Amino acid sequence: KSATPRLAGGNRPLIAEGGMAAWTAILEARKPIYEELADLAIDTSRRSVAKIVDDITGRLGGTR
């Protein structure tokens, strides 16, 4: 999974100053904290908004 196409060409200061390596290093350092604190994790890569919404509402016991 690569976030590069979504982030490339943007004006995000971290990407402009440190490149993808800086962004990746911060993500990897924070990942254990994110995973520990998350009640729900949804993979949003290469999926339509409608499918993501269905997944979220389904996991939370609701309907769209």
Side-chain angles (χ1 to χ4, degrees):
K1 296 178 194 178
S2 174
T4 305
R6 201 166 54 93
L7 298 175
N11 59 357
R12 295 173 183 243
L14 178 63
I15 301 298
E17 293 172 19
M20 286 301 297
W23 181 84
T24 301
I26 290 172
L27 174 63
E28 290 304 315
R30 294 178 180 176
K31 191 173 183 176
I33 297 167
Y34 294 155
E35 290 173 348
E36 181 181 337
L37 297 174
D39 292 325
L40 178 65
I42 303 290
D43 180 6
T44 61
S45 57
R46 298 188 175 118
R47 298 177 66 209
S48 70
V49 172
K51 288 184 180 186
I52 295 166
V53 169
D54 289 342
D55 199 8
I56 293 170
T57 55
R59 289 191 190 184
L60 295 177
T63 58
R64 185 159 63 122

